[in-house]
């Protein structure tokens, strides 16, 4: 078992979560926080710095001292934010990726009273009557919005985006039948799928996923090689001494692979990755480039 030695960490560690308590990022952080503290031999204190699609917390992280006293668990919004928002930091310059913690599927659901049984039926309806079919997400510029935009761009159909102010209001509208379609993280709709209120039409993993059993991916339904995983990544501050980054990575990887921690996180609807720093850097950099291109090509703005 890895044990912290030497001068670091000599005081409590800040773990910035750039989202409000109760969301998926906060949930994941709180599931590994106690064990990370135990392995490092120092308190790990979660700071929720929500707002502006995660960018307020990320800005705080970018201002933190480069001494290993602060770290951040980011959500996938970190990638599109680089193209959508006017930021006072750049992810790949001011932050250092430590590990891709986990990935998971997005799922497109339909209310049980709609006729749709799969996403090809949605596409056919949208082609017959462009812009008349509405779909919800938890907000403009999130991965659910941009991924659905890419599906439409690649396959020649148009729907109307109805953004809500967060996942809570969106799922409430979806289960009430106020909106026919809802693209979202699996975490917040799994119970409604099990109850039969929402019908899963497709997932954004390459193939089927155990988190939404029996539901084909968009790729399996004939939408090319479409893939859009949701993800969580652990960052430090650029300039943090490499031995500290290495020690944090080793501690985090140990904790994420502990059977109890891994099982509890994966119950939320994702899969542990616990990647190397180099793998995390390559992944996050590719996500920034990929979704930035979709944003520019489709003229997506925060007021759209």
């Amino acid at each position: 078992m890895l044990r912290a030695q030497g001068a670091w960490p000599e005081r409590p560690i800040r773990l910035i979560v750039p989202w409000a308590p109760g969301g998926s990022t906060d949930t994941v952080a709180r599931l590994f926080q106690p064990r990370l503290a135990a392995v490092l031999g120092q308190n790990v204190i979660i700071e929720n710095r929500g707002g502006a699609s995660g960018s307020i917390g990320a800005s705080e992280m970018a201002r933190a001292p480069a001494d290993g006293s602060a770290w951040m668990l980011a959500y996938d919004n970190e990638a599109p934010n680089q193209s959508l928002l006017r930021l006072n930091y750049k992810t790949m310059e001011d932050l250092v990726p430590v590990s891709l913690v986990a990935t998971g599927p997005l799922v497109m659901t339909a209310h049980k009273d709609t006729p749709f049984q799969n996403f090809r039926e949605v596409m056919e309806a949208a082609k017959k009557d462009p812009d008349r079919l509405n779909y919800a997400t938890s907000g403009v510029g999130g991965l659910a919005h941009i991924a659905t935009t890419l599906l439409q761009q690649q396959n020649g159909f148009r729907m109307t985006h109805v953004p809500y102010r967060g996942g809570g209001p969106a799922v409430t509208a979806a289960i009430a039948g106020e909106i026919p379609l809802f693209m979202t993280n699996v975490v917040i709709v799994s119970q409604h799928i099990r109850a039969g209120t929402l019908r899963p039409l497709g997932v954004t993993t390459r193939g089927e996923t155990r988190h939404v059993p029996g539901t084909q991916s968009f790729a399996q339904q004939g939408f090319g090689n479409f893939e859009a995983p949701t993800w969580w990544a652990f960052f430090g501050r650029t300039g943090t001494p490499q031995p500290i980054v290495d020690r944090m990575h080793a501690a985090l990887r140990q904790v994420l692979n502990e059977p109890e921690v891994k099982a509890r996180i994966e119950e939320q609807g994702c899969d542990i990755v616990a990647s190397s720093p180099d793998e995390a850097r390559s992944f996050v950099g590719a996500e920034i480039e990929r979704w930035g291109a979709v944003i520019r090509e489709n003229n997506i703005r925060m007021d759209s």
Side-chain angles (χ1 to χ4, degrees):
M1 176 180 293
L2 180 148
R3 296 288 184 186
Q5 299 175 359
W8 184 86
E10 71 278 6
R11 61 182 185 271
I13 293 168
R14 302 165 62 204
L15 177 53
I16 296 171
V17 173
W19 299 89
S24 63
T25 307
D26 181 68
T27 298
V28 171
R30 292 181 189 279
L31 288 173
F32 69 72
Q33 170 207 15
R35 287 297 303 138
L36 185 62
V39 169
L40 290 172
Q42 186 57 267
N43 288 336
V44 175
I45 301 169
I46 290 177
E47 292 185 13
N48 293 96
R49 297 291 186 99
S53 298
S55 65
I56 289 177
S59 293
E60 174 68 17
M61 183 65 228
R63 292 192 297 268
D67 59 2
S69 61
W71 307 81
M72 179 178 74
L73 182 67
Y75 189 48
D76 55 44
N77 281 63
E78 190 59 34
N81 281 354
Q82 297 297 296
S83 297
L84 278 169
L85 303 177
R86 292 184 177 180
L87 302 172
N88 58 6
Y89 73 96
K90 291 185 177 181
T91 302
M92 303 307 287
E93 294 179 10
D94 298 304
L95 306 179
V96 56
V98 177
S99 181
L100 179 62
V101 170
T103 63
L106 294 171
V107 59
M108 177 68 81
T109 65
H111 188 267
K112 62 181 178 62
D113 292 339
T114 68
F116 305 117
Q117 300 298 317
N118 56 60
F119 196 74
R120 291 204 69 83
E121 294 178 2
V122 171
M123 181 183 69
E124 291 165 4
K127 283 187 173 181
K128 289 178 181 178
D129 202 354
D131 298 320
R132 291 295 299 274
L133 193 56
N134 295 338
Y135 76 96
T137 74
S138 59
V140 173
L143 184 60
H145 174 208
I146 299 172
T148 308
T149 299
L150 181 59
L151 269 174
Q152 295 171 88
Q153 177 187 5
Q154 290 179 336
N155 295 281
F157 66 98
R158 296 200 313 270
M159 302 187 295
T160 296
H161 180 218
V162 181
Y164 285 79
R165 295 179 67 85
V171 74
T172 297
I175 63 178
E178 296 174 9
I179 194 88
L181 301 169
F182 181 27
M183 180 74 108
T184 183
N185 190 304
V186 170
V187 175
I188 65 172
V189 291
S190 57
Q191 62 178 320
H192 305 295
I193 290 173
R194 289 193 295 269
T197 307
L198 298 178
R199 181 185 305 126
L201 305 180
V203 292
T204 61
T205 43
R206 185 165 298 177
E208 291 187 31
T209 168
R210 61 194 173 95
H211 301 298
V212 194
T215 301
Q216 287 190 322
S217 68
F218 292 102
Q220 289 173 316
Q221 293 181 53
F223 292 90
N225 294 320
F226 185 84
E227 186 176 15
T230 187
W231 51 267
W232 296 262
F234 198 90
F235 290 87
R237 179 72 168 89
T238 296
T240 301
Q242 193 61 45
I244 293 178
V245 174
D246 291 343
R247 186 177 292 177
M248 175 58 86
H249 172 260
L252 183 65
R253 188 165 191 165
Q254 174 185 317
V255 168
L256 292 173
N257 283 301
E258 290 179 359
E260 183 176 353
V261 173
K262 183 175 182 179
R264 291 181 66 192
I265 292 176
E266 292 190 342
E267 284 172 2
Q268 304 302 312
C270 56
D271 297 295
I272 291 295
V273 178
S275 78
S276 70
D278 286 344
E279 290 166 337
R281 175 172 290 278
S282 294
F283 178 88
V284 174
E287 288 288 283
I288 290 171
E289 291 300 318
R290 179 189 185 194
W291 299 118
V294 176
I295 288 164
R296 291 187 294 273
E297 290 166 6
N298 292 276
N299 194 30
I300 296 174
R301 304 182 309 276
M302 289 303 290
D303 59 354
S304 61

